[in-house]
Structures are given as C-alpha cells and as structure tokens.
Amino acid sequence: MGRDVREGLPLAPPEKGRPPSAAERFVPASGEAAGRAPERLTAVPVQSVSADALRDTVEALAAFPTRHTFSPFVGLAADEVVHRLTAAGYTDVARRTWTNAGHSADNVICTKPGTQAGGPVVLVCAHYDCRMEDPRDAETRAPGADDNASGVAAVLEIARLLAPVALNSTIRFVAFSGEEQGLWGSSAYAGELRAAGAGVQRVVNLDMVGRPPADGSVTVERDLGNAVPANDAASAAFAAVLAQAAADHTALPVRLGPIYASDYMPFEARGDVTIGAYEGEGNPHYHRTTDTPATLDYAYLADVTRAALATLLAT
C-alpha cells in the first residue's frame, strides 16, 4: 500500500466495506455439479458446523480491548488462536513473526498434511487484527467481531471439524495480523513462500462473514485481472465450487464478486489461485466500537462456514 509521507506511516488498504462494482447473481447447477465431493464425504462434517462454537470464538476474540496490530493485545489474540488449534489436536502450529515499518506481530500457521505426496496446498485464511476508523488508533476499544473475528471463527471451526478427516490436499489454516495496516502479515507470508520457491497453491480468504446484507446473500469472490491475469480462469473455476457448495449445503443466495482489499491479494500477485467469501457491503458497525458479538447472525456465519468446509472437502 501507499505511505503517508507527512506522518511516515503506512496508509490503510482500501476499505473492505466499500466494494467496487456490484456483485452478480450465481445460478447454481442442477444435479451433480462438476467438482463436488460425493455426499457421503460431506454430509457429516458439513452439518456438524456449530453456531455455538463460532459464537464462542467471536466472543473470546472480541473480549480483548482491541486487536490492533500496534497494541499489546495482538500477541494475546495470537495466543488464543494457537490455543484453539492445539486444542483441536493439531501439532504443527507455528507463529511466524514479521516486521514492517518498525512494527512486529505474528501470523499463526497450522498445517494439516494431505495424503497425496506433492499434492495441492490449500490456504484457508482470515485476519485476526482489527481497528477503529483511524487506522493508527491502537488504544480505543475495538471488538472487531465481524471484522474479522467472524472469519477467524470460521477458519477455526473448519480446522476443528477437519482434524480427524483424511484429505488429499494439504491444508494450511492461517490467521494473519497486520491486515488493517496494508496486508502486512499476508504480504510477509507470501514473500516467504516466494523465497522458498513454493509452487502455486489455492487460497480461500474469509473476511467479514458474520452479518448478512439485506438480501441475506453471501458473495463469492474471484480473481478478475489484478496482478496476474493468467490465474483468472482457475480462480473462476474454484469460485464456482464454493458458490455451488453454498447452494448445495445452505439456503443462502449467492452472488459473485471480485477479490479486493484483503489478504488474498499478495498471493494472487505471486500467481496463486485465490477466492474468498464475503458478506457484502452495509455493516454500519464497520471499524467502530459497536462491532460487537451481539450484532452478528451466527446462523448466517455457520452457513458461510459450511460452504467453505464443503469446498475444502471437494478439493
């Protein structure tokens, strides 16, 4: 992102709550859609998504006075994410520290190895930091329930349910910090992958998925141009799996929109196949103290989580 020369501080990324062009309606396929996992593989774990478990995670994260990347509470929030992943039975849970503009924080990365050696890697991510309207305000009370404890709760619930399930693909559950300062944490991790020569992977980003818009829809985001146009077709195909999963396993209306202003962008720029789920515009509590757990719709959050989980089971 750009920098504020007068203050010497980074500018915040474009606001997620103010999207570009309006999303278009998704028309679900009839019958057995291409790429869908057989019902026997998805019925039990998908229907096991717990709205109560999602609420518990949101409330735990929102209980911190703030999770601003520059606050002393961001490390405690990372501890909470680590604790919940290890409690689900994962042993490969790591904190990766990044530094940017004199500030440091951690990404939390949990790896679930796939059964296919050298097979695909799917990154399921959300950012756990939050902010107020002033991106440099690291002190004011900021619950960040929708933005983005909702996405972190979905990632952790998916991780919990997939812990005993053997999958072909390797799954990495990632919670980023520094998103609100300009995608700092995700940019650092994408840079690590680039430096390590890691191959193309798939990325599912969950950012603001807890408060439905007026029509109750979920927006499935896919890559439309951006830094590497060559990955657009694969992104569209992957987004179709997520959109169809939402149609198959929930009653949510589905819209298709573009990826923008969140943690999938650094991965798209390195050639990865990126998609996301997003509630759409209209949350009046965006970047405000009123973004509390009580303002979320946990049945809606559970449905978005089911769609993302079914997508992973189909990969």
Side-chain angles (χ1 to χ4, degrees), residues 174-263:
V174 184
F176 291 117
S177 52
E179 192 269 355
E180 299 289 7
Q181 284 64 51
L183 316 181
W184 284 2
S186 53
S187 294
Y189 187 48
E192 287 180 33
L193 294 175
R194 186 180 297 109
V200 172
Q201 59 189 13
R202 293 182 174 188
V203 178
V204 181
N205 185 63
L206 305 174
D207 191 352
M208 298 181 65
V209 289
R211 184 182 170 93
D215 66 356
S217 65
V218 61
T219 297
V220 172
E221 302 166 312
R222 75 278 198 225
D223 191 5
L224 299 174
N226 295 298
V228 183
N231 52 21
D232 285 9
S235 173
F238 194 23
V241 176
L242 175 54
Q244 187 66 46
D248 289 343
H249 297 281
T250 79
L252 298 177
V254 181
R255 293 183 176 274
L256 296 174
I259 64 168
Y260 67 99
S262 193
D263 284 315

Side-chain angles (χ1 to χ4, degrees), residues 99-291:
T99 299
N100 194 318
H103 296 280
S104 294
D106 290 343
N107 295 326
V108 178
I109 300 169
C110 170
T111 302
K112 175 182 172 61
T115 58
Q116 221 175 60
V121 175
V122 183
L123 189 72
V124 187
C125 59
H127 71 91
Y128 69 91
D129 63 307
C130 64
R131 57 167 263 211
M132 290 292 290
E133 291 176 282
D134 179 353
R136 293 162 290 194
D137 181 357
E139 297 181 357
T140 301
R141 168 71 174 142
D146 192 27
D147 188 18
N148 184 36
S150 65
V152 177
V155 170
L156 293 177
E157 178 68 351
I158 291 167
R160 181 182 73 84
L161 292 171
L162 286 183
V165 180
L167 299 172
N168 290 335
S169 301
T170 291
I171 309 293
R172 290 202 180 103
F173 306 103
V174 184
F176 291 117
S177 52
E179 192 269 355
E180 299 289 7
Q181 284 64 51
L183 316 181
W184 284 2
S186 53
S187 294
Y189 187 48
E192 287 180 33
L193 294 175
R194 186 180 297 109
V200 172
Q201 59 189 13
R202 293 182 174 188
V203 178
V204 181
N205 185 63
L206 305 174
D207 191 352
M208 298 181 65
V209 289
R211 184 182 170 93
D215 66 356
S217 65
V218 61
T219 297
V220 172
E221 302 166 312
R222 75 278 198 225
D223 191 5
L224 299 174
N226 295 298
V228 183
N231 52 21
D232 285 9
S235 173
F238 194 23
V241 176
L242 175 54
Q244 187 66 46
D248 289 343
H249 297 281
T250 79
L252 298 177
V254 181
R255 293 183 176 274
L256 296 174
I259 64 168
Y260 67 99
S262 193
D263 284 315
Y264 31 35
M265 302 309 293
F267 298 95
E268 188 281 334
R270 75 171 214 107
D272 292 329
V273 177
T274 56
I275 63 171
Y278 172 44
E279 68 198 29
E281 63 183 313
N283 187 343
H285 308 291
Y286 180 65
H287 290 169
R288 297 178 184 272
T289 297
T290 54
D291 184 10

Side-chain angles (χ1 to χ4, degrees), residues 11-68:
L11 297 174
E15 291 195 344
K16 184 74 177 175
R18 296 175 183 166
S21 58
E24 62 187 68
R25 283 281 184 181
F26 169 75
V27 179
S30 57
E32 191 72 12
R36 281 170 54 191
E39 188 66 22
R40 67 180 182 277
L41 297 182
T42 62
V44 175
V46 169
Q47 295 310 314
S48 297
V49 169
S50 167
D52 288 339
L54 292 163
R55 182 192 296 269
D56 180 73
T57 300
V58 169
E59 290 178 344
L61 291 173
F64 293 105
T66 179
R67 301 188 306 280
H68 193 286

